[in-house]
């Protein structure tokens, strides 16, 4: 039997920085946090301030119980992480000054312990593949559906990172349903523009006006209406689900994963996203595009939710040792 | 210095079965055929007859010079090859009775030597990645554009095969340009329906009638017209190139390869596919979809042509030992 092990995990998003000490029990069962904390990212203060905040959060986590011997730090970071260095190779305007931050090298130097940095969506996929609904599966395609849509492909426990660290932008593939619709990335016609929570709200509003006149319509509003049997909401959710399913079919034709896992806010925060309307739409879209040998590939709902990136970051650190 | 090594390679397509003995020179330079032969597949005679023909072709290759010690047999096969067994898991109606043939196990038993079977398009990608334009690159996305469109993703010398062996069906992803157009696979809206040689001929014919009244228009006809400055042909080729480029952008967003390699009949058999019309269209389509960190990813033309699957099959055998 192995010893109990401890890994420090950090998940850096545009809204918050979550940190944890993950305990890997000696019996080999699923790791869980023995310490956890959350602080706001306040990204507008710039990359350097955010960096200091991260280093501080890690130091606090490490100091939370000096008797625990922590092996190293696994970091799940927003933006594109250079797989060779662990630096932030690219970030969008949501985190100004984040691009170029030498996150891995600086943390390694400052903390004097092993540090491994991976993209946050890639970490999410690693978490579900190692300890979530994808455990014991050879390969897992994981899609995170929230404000935007991201993804990760994990094979044999290892996440595909790409040459620049940019692999897994599954929301940014051509979707017939999104033709001509502008995407947050600056292109158009992408899956994200029709199946993300943001897009579902926007589609409803464009067609039927605001649900609440005082604010923009979001995915959850449409979900609530759908639950009440509102035909307009049902039609929008059907369209978003079908487009998602069709893209999952395209992705299966490219990657042929053993299982497909859906996660993220849209999946977890509204139980009705698991409703028959949505499930049927996704299945119909999938069947419309997936090739015959791939028609039986299971489409599952992730089970780790917000813990997935922290667990995945810890797994990434362990694999890097 | 290593010894000179010999591998028997077979490439099984719907039209012909190519076999070769590949010599791996002792100086580590690129392998080349010291024996090669080609026979028709005649797939309509059924899977069992085709199997006998393959075994016969391999025995002839092995007997061609009994003094050469051949290490094993690498097979590139049409259809979906089960990665666990080397059997044909799935084949379409072009090769009746091919699905279910236990190709790897039977050849291994019959020949008493190592046999490794891989999909033909996957073998093509392996060839270009190991010894073609993708050599010394960390990861290669290879697309074969001919009658249909197939693909392969090779990372660190290893091809992504997928859980069922069906990874790499890059022609069967949603393309905005192909919306509503039926695909050979039975679905619709796929890249193959707008950018393959077959599709280019069909698109021209649908819009402008046959080039030669006595037969269906093929890609090469449109290419010839394009070379003569025919505006109709130029517009069709632009559309096909743009759609291909856009899909390459989607694929880069998913896989983030170091280089993209284009190969296959459409690329190699008409030098004008490398013309400015086509190259510009592909580049425009790519830029319309690829994310910022991926805009500089090189799009190269394969250099091994028909030898690529034979070389890739040999590499696959060597990796399996």
């Amino acid at each position: 039997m192995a010893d109990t092990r401890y890994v420090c995990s950090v998940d850096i998003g545009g809204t918050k920085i979550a940190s944890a000490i993950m305990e890997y029990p000696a019996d080999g069962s699923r790791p869980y946090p023995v310490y956890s904390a959350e602080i706001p990212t306040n990204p507008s203060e710039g990359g350097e301030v955010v960096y200091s905040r991260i280093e501080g959060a890690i130091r606090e986590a490490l100091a939370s119980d000096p008797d625990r011997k922590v092996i190293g730090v696994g970091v799940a970071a927003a933006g594109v992480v250079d797989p060779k260095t662990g630096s932030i190779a690219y970030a969008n305007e949501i985190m100004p000054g984040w691009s170029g931050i030498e996150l891995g090298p600086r943390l390694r130097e400052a903390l004097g312990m092993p540090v491994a940095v991976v993209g946050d969506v890639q970490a999410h996929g690693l978490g579900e593949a190692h300890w979530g609904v994808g455990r014991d599966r050879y390969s897992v395609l994981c899609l995170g559906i929230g404000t935007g849509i991201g993804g990760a492909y994990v094979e044999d426990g290892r996440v595909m990172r790409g040459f620049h660290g940019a692999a897994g932008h599954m929301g940014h593939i051509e979707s017939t349903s999104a033709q001509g619709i502008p995407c947050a990335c600056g292109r158009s016609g992408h899956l994200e523009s029709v199946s993300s929570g943001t897009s579902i709200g926007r589609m409803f509003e464009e067609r039927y006006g605001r649900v609440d006149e005082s604010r923009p319509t979001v995915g959850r509003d449409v979900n609530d209406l759908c639950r009440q049997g509102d035909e307009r909401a049902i039609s929008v959710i059907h369209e978003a689900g079908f487009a998602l399913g069709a893209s999952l079919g395209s992705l299966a034709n490219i990657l042929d994963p053993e299982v497909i896992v859906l996660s993220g806010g849209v999946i977890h925060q509204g139980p009705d996203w698991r409703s028959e309307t949505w499930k049927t739409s996704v299945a119909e879209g999938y069947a419309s595009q997936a090739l015959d040998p791939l028609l039986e590939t299971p489409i599952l709902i992730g089970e780790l939710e917000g813990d997935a990136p922290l667990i995945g970051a810890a797994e990434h650190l362990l694999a890097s040792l």
Side-chain angles (χ1 to χ4, degrees), chain A:
Chain A
M1 208 182 242
D3 287 342
T4 302
R5 293 177 302 168
Y6 298 95
V7 175
C8 177
S9 287
V10 195
D11 178 18
I12 307 158
T15 309
K16 61 184 170 59
I17 298 164
S19 51
I21 302 292
M22 304 299 298
E23 175 172 323
Y24 278 74
D27 64 4
S29 60
R30 175 168 144 182
Y32 62 94
V34 288
Y35 163 91
S36 61
E38 229 176 78
I39 53 172
T41 309
N42 293 337
S44 62
E45 293 174 24
E48 280 302 327
V49 179
V50 171
Y51 171 79
S52 307
R53 211 168 270 139
I54 294 161
E55 194 187 311
I58 295 171
R59 289 190 187 280
E60 241 173 88
L62 294 173
S64 63
D65 181 350
D67 290 343
R68 279 193 296 256
K69 185 160 164 30
V70 174
I71 303 172
V73 184
V75 183
V80 172
V81 177
D82 183 338
K84 293 180 244 355
T85 62
S87 297
I88 305 301
Y90 184 85
N92 63 22
E93 72 288 352
I94 295 167
M95 292 188 67
W98 185 235
S99 178
I101 293 284
E102 296 185 330
L103 187 60
R106 288 173 67 177
L107 286 176
R108 224 168 277 131
E109 171 83 18
L111 303 167
M113 59 167 61
V115 175
V117 188
V118 67
D120 52 358
V121 189
Q122 295 168 351
H124 195 116
L126 275 173
E128 286 290 352
H130 279 270
W131 293 102
V133 72
R135 66 189 172 278
D136 304 326
R137 303 291 195 155
Y138 173 66
S139 53
V140 178
L141 165 63
C142 185
L143 256 76
I145 302 153
T147 316
I149 295 181
Y153 175 70
V154 181
E155 189 176 291
D156 207 12
R158 191 175 150 272
V159 69
M160 185 169 69
R161 303 184 70 185
F163 185 67
H164 306 86
H169 280 95
M170 316 297 185
H172 302 278
I173 62 174
E174 275 194 292
S175 163
T176 303
S177 308
Q179 184 160 20
I181 304 176
C183 182
C185 74
R187 282 82 197 169
S188 77
H190 286 172
L191 170 65
E192 182 170 293
S193 309
V194 72
S195 295
S196 66
T198 315
S199 303
I200 289 166
R202 193 207 64 239
M203 280 157 60
F204 186 94
E205 190 171 308
E206 280 171 6
R207 292 176 198 178
Y208 309 112
R210 289 188 170 185
V211 172
D212 177 338
E213 280 303 330
S214 67
R215 56 171 181 77
T217 303
V218 295
R220 180 111 39 128
D221 299 324
V222 185
N223 188 39
D224 289 343
L225 286 176
C226 182
R227 187 166 34 196
Q228 294 158 28
D230 184 298
E231 288 297 331
R232 302 167 307 167
I234 289 171
S235 78
V236 167
I237 282 179
H238 183 274
E239 191 172 326
F242 188 91
L244 174 64
S247 286
L248 294 178
S250 287
L251 289 164
N253 294 344
I254 297 165
L255 300 165
D256 183 10
E258 183 173 356
V259 291
I260 296 168
V261 175
L262 303 179
S263 190
V266 163
I267 305 296
H268 293 300
Q269 281 157 30
D272 278 14
W273 294 110
R274 310 193 195 189
S275 70
E276 284 310 310
T277 295
W278 190 72
K279 271 201 290 196
T280 309
S281 315
V282 172
E284 281 175 17
Y286 185 78
S288 79
Q289 294 300 319
L291 298 175
D292 288 347
L294 307 171
L295 286 174
E296 304 303 321
T297 301
I299 301 177
L300 309 173
I301 301 297
E303 58 185 36
L304 300 180
E305 308 193 16
D307 286 345
L310 290 169
I311 294 177
E315 285 296 329
H316 181 65
L317 180 275
L318 291 172
S320 76
L321 296 178

